[in-house]
Amino acid sequence: MLLRWLILSVTFYAASSVAQSQNIFNPQAITVAIDKTPVSFNPYSDQALMSQQFKHLLFDPLFRWDKNQKIEARLVKSWKRIDKKTVRFSLRENIHFHTGNILTANDVLWSFEQAKKQINSNFLSKLDWVKANNQNSFDIRTSLSDIQLLDYLTNVFILDSRFYEKNANVLDTSPSIILPPVRNLPMSGTGPYLIQQYNPVLGMVVVANPNYWDGFPKVQFFRFMRINKPQSRLFALLADDVQVSYAIPNKSTEDLESNTTKNLVKVPSSNVVFLTINDKLSPVLKNKEARDAIHLAINQAGMLKYILKDNGQLHPSVMALADNTFSDKPNKTNEEMPEYNLDKSKALVKAMKLPKQMSLLVMLDDVGNTKKVAEALSKMLKRAGIVVATQEISSEEIWKNTNLYYDLTISTWQTQLMSQDNMYENLFLQSYLTGYLQDKFKERGLKHNFKQESNYFKTLQQDNWVIPLFYQDKIWAQNNKFNLDEIFSSNGIPYWSLLKLKKTEDKPNNEDVLLKLKDKKER
């Protein structure tokens, strides 16, 4: 009765489950609850249209990051630097696309050309050229360092040029409903899985590629079921309608941790919430002690515990997760955790005569955490004697035009890149902080000198102009039958071909957790 009540109480989940069973049901599939179904099968489309996990499911990159922050060669067998600016790559031999076509260097060149047409990438503009030497070798000429180049190449997925030249519209057209038997492939990569069934609203089923060059995947079928709401995904997991679920609500993680038949997998990520301080409206904020007063009033550990239920991390620098594998000199940050001292903050506020009211602009995120951060920040600063007037927005255009005219701003940033220089460049040029940082660099007289900008950004953090409040883990959960914790890369991407069964478990009994969730809902 309890399970029936739960399913009936979550209308969307119930409706989607029924539709799923009628349209793309495969009893052999491992079912994964996701928040978004890909609406493009073009690996160079926007992240919002096709996320990294699906790109790696259907295609292969030249390189990828493993779980230990090491670069792993994929379609590339070996590489060497032949002069100061040229790197030679050799491809693995006898790799087949889904069509049966053999991978060649011409496919690599063709894929680079498609990427240039379809994405706005600073990386591609830094390549002098890409040239084929023979069927299995190509050269890249660039001034990028080894680690920068290989890091960027983790985002270069190779397309079947012969297939796409005959099906040119496939890359530009949103896929429609696909049902078996699949007579016309909707895409052709070298990836571990092929699409068997697809519905842009409900999800998709994929089947293992029988000719996969890296060995036959342990799981033959995956069903990716789209369930929009995190709470509904959790109900589906507890009801054993799905075996794996993405983005479990932070408020429910404690209940789930007490369930011996389910387990959480917390994946660290670069998803950081930033606070910036601006002195344009309040010149007193030019004084470091004024900025210190604000930072000292913020209990970052308390925010992490209250908002994320400790499902995240605190770091004083955004480079805490950056890779240093290829560095000659290790550059690991000697971290000092941010200080929280309300009494010291009050004393500084009184001495500095800060404005009675400050303005705060908040860029709302999809999960509502920036809104919670703003509410917590407002209460904390009020205890120190600082009143904050908050403006919440969701428009990127409004943000670009107005963020410099607020005393404080809150926004998020995330990247899949792992090289320190690449991360800096992404933050400086392709984030919500871009306008703010470019303004600071201009004030400093830094004229597009990347090294000087990088060093100055470290100073901006040390002097409390830019404060990374906390990093948000990605929260997954499963029914304890799989090695889910072992399939994630160091930049948080699940490689589903690595998933495999552990020892057979007893049938789950989730009554206690379901009762707790019901009790919370009623309250």
Side-chain angles (χ1 to χ4, degrees):
M1 290 296 293
L2 177 58
L3 180 57
R4 184 180 303 169
W5 176 88
L6 280 167
I7 295 177
L8 290 173
S9 70
V10 186
T11 305
F12 176 84
Y13 164 59
S16 66
S17 295
V18 171
Q20 198 79 9
S21 66
Q22 293 175 347
N23 288 286
I24 56 172
F25 178 73
N26 184 325
Q28 301 178 61
I30 301 301
T31 304
V32 181
I34 55 174
D35 58 339
K36 295 177 182 177
T37 304
V39 291
S40 170
F41 294 147
N42 180 350
Y44 298 113
S45 62
D46 188 86
Q47 174 78 0
L49 301 179
M50 188 181 193
S51 65
Q52 289 283 3
Q53 65 172 322
F54 294 114
K55 293 177 183 180
H56 284 270
L57 191 75
L58 303 172
F59 300 89
D60 279 310
L62 295 171
F63 294 86
R64 74 181 185 188
W65 288 100
D66 70 8
K67 64 181 180 180
N68 299 312
Q69 282 193 318
K70 303 291 184 182
I71 282 281
E72 177 185 0
R74 297 302 289 165
L75 297 181
V76 166
K77 178 175 65 176
S78 62
W79 71 97
K80 62 180 179 180
R81 186 168 287 277
I82 59 176
D83 62 40
K84 187 176 181 180
K85 294 189 68 176
T86 309
V87 183
R88 177 158 295 167
F89 298 88
S90 296
L91 294 170
R92 297 181 190 273
E93 297 177 0
N94 298 317
I95 291 182
H96 292 78
F97 288 101
H98 296 143
T99 58
N101 292 331
I102 295 287
L103 169 71
T104 70
N106 286 332
D107 296 305
V108 174
L109 271 59
W110 195 86
S111 299
F112 270 101
E113 289 304 312
Q114 293 305 305
K116 290 178 183 178
K117 294 176 185 177
Q118 299 177 55
I119 61 175
N120 179 18
S121 172
N122 294 312
F123 157 59
L124 295 172
S125 66
K126 293 183 178 181
L127 304 183
D128 296 339
W129 45 252
V130 182
K131 293 181 180 179
N133 300 307
N134 54 50
Q135 187 172 353
N136 293 307
S137 174
F138 64 95
D139 291 348
I140 295 179
R141 185 169 178 81
T142 178
S143 58
L144 292 169
S145 67
D146 285 352
I147 181 58
Q148 281 184 283
L149 176 59
L150 299 187
D151 185 29
Y152 277 126
L153 292 180
T154 64
N155 290 297
V156 175
F157 296 84
I158 305 306
L159 301 166
D160 183 349
S161 61
R162 281 155 288 180
F163 168 80
Y164 287 104
E165 284 172 348
K166 295 177 182 178
N167 301 274
N169 64 322
V170 171
L171 288 174
D172 303 320
T173 306
S174 297
S176 57
I177 292 175
I178 299 170
L179 294 173
V182 180
R183 294 188 174 88
N184 297 309
L185 288 175
M187 42 69 63
S188 180
T190 62
Y193 288 89
L194 299 94
I195 296 168
Q196 186 187 56
Q197 303 177 60
Y198 172 80
N199 185 307
V201 176
L202 302 176
M204 70 179 188
V205 174
V206 296
V207 59
N209 179 359
N211 301 311
Y212 190 48
W213 62 271
D214 199 23
F216 193 75
K218 299 293 184 182
V219 176
Q220 186 173 1
F221 297 97
F222 278 106
R223 179 196 301 112
F224 293 93
M225 180 189 290
R226 180 185 175 190
I227 304 176
N228 287 348
K229 296 181 179 179
Q231 197 73 14
S232 300
R233 291 195 290 273
L234 175 59
F235 286 147
L237 179 71
L238 293 173
D240 293 321
D241 289 336
V242 304
Q243 287 78 54
V244 181
S245 179
Y246 169 64
I248 295 299
N250 285 302
K251 63 183 179 182
S252 300
T253 55
E254 293 177 359
D255 293 331
L256 203 56
E257 284 175 335
S258 66
N259 185 340
T260 57
T261 65
K262 311 293 179 189
N263 74 294
L264 293 173
V265 176
K266 302 178 182 180
V267 183
S269 79
S270 63
N271 190 337
V272 59
V273 177
F274 276 118
L275 172 69
T276 65
I277 300 176
N278 196 356
D279 60 359
K280 290 189 181 301
L281 297 182
S282 303
V284 68
L285 294 176
K286 292 181 184 293
N287 192 312
K288 185 177 182 299
E289 288 188 336
R291 302 190 301 276
D292 290 346
I294 293 172
H295 198 181
L296 287 167
I298 303 172
N299 183 354
Q300 290 172 247
M303 280 188 177
L304 186 66
K305 184 175 182 63
Y306 170 73
I307 297 172
L308 295 188
K309 306 300 180 186
D310 283 330
N311 297 315
Q313 305 168 61
L314 295 179
H315 295 292
S317 166
V318 299
M319 289 302 109
L321 300 179
D323 169 77
N324 293 292
T325 304
F326 284 63
S327 299
D328 294 330
K329 298 179 180 179
N331 189 30
K332 298 295 183 183
T333 306
N334 184 15
E335 296 186 330
E336 293 182 7
M337 289 299 104
E339 181 184 4
Y340 168 58
N341 191 321
L342 184 58
D343 290 336
K344 188 185 292 187
S345 174
K346 287 180 177 178
L348 285 172
V349 168
K350 187 175 181 180
M352 296 300 303
K353 296 181 180 179
L354 292 176
K356 292 183 179 180
Q357 180 172 290
M358 290 188 183
S359 56
L360 169 65
L361 182 65
V362 182
M363 186 67 188
L364 297 174
D365 61 350
D366 292 338
V367 294
N369 284 343
T370 53
K371 181 181 179 69
K372 294 176 183 177
V373 168
E375 291 170 351
L377 180 68
S378 180
K379 292 176 182 177
M380 291 175 183
L381 293 180
K382 188 174 182 180
R383 295 191 190 106
I386 302 170
V387 177
V388 173
T390 303
Q391 176 68 47
E392 299 173 350
I393 62 171
S394 56
S395 166
E396 293 187 18
E397 192 64 30
I398 294 175
W399 174 272
K400 290 178 183 178
N401 293 331
T402 64
N403 75 89
L404 294 180
Y405 303 100
Y406 285 80
D407 298 309
L408 311 170
T409 71
I410 290 174
S411 62
T412 60
W413 170 72
Q414 183 174 13
T415 180
Q416 302 291 346
L417 298 169
M418 293 291 290
S419 157
Q420 187 175 99
D421 285 346
N422 291 349
M423 291 177 75
Y424 272 141
E425 186 169 89
N426 181 272
L427 183 62
F428 296 169
L429 300 177
Q430 295 178 298
S431 75
Y432 290 125
L433 265 62
T434 296
Y436 174 87
L437 293 175
Q438 293 304 316
D439 186 68
K440 288 295 180 189
F441 296 155
K442 184 178 179 180
E443 286 180 358
R444 189 74 171 182
L446 306 180
K447 297 182 179 179
H448 305 294
N449 185 312
F450 180 74
K451 186 175 181 179
Q452 290 180 359
E453 290 175 347
S454 300
N455 289 331
Y456 185 52
F457 179 69
K458 296 175 186 176
T459 302
L460 292 175
Q461 292 176 93
Q462 293 165 358
D463 291 348
N464 289 331
W465 288 104
V466 178
I467 302 170
L469 294 174
F470 55 71
Y471 292 79
Q472 307 175 87
D473 290 347
K474 294 180 179 180
I475 309 298
W476 291 77
Q478 63 161 336
N479 65 6
N480 216 15
K481 293 184 178 180
F482 306 98
N483 66 330
L484 185 65
D485 58 325
E486 298 176 1
I487 75 168
F488 290 92
S489 66
S490 50
N491 53 350
I493 302 168
Y495 299 145
W496 291 108
S497 61
L498 300 180
L499 192 76
K500 60 184 179 181
L501 278 169
K502 295 193 294 187
K503 292 181 180 180
T504 305
E505 305 287 345
D506 295 332
K507 187 175 180 179
N509 179 4
N510 303 307
E511 191 78 5
D512 290 341
V513 178
L514 291 170
L515 283 168
K516 287 181 182 179
L517 289 168
K518 179 178 181 294
D519 181 59
K520 284 186 177 181
K521 186 176 182 72
E522 290 176 344
R523 285 185 293 178

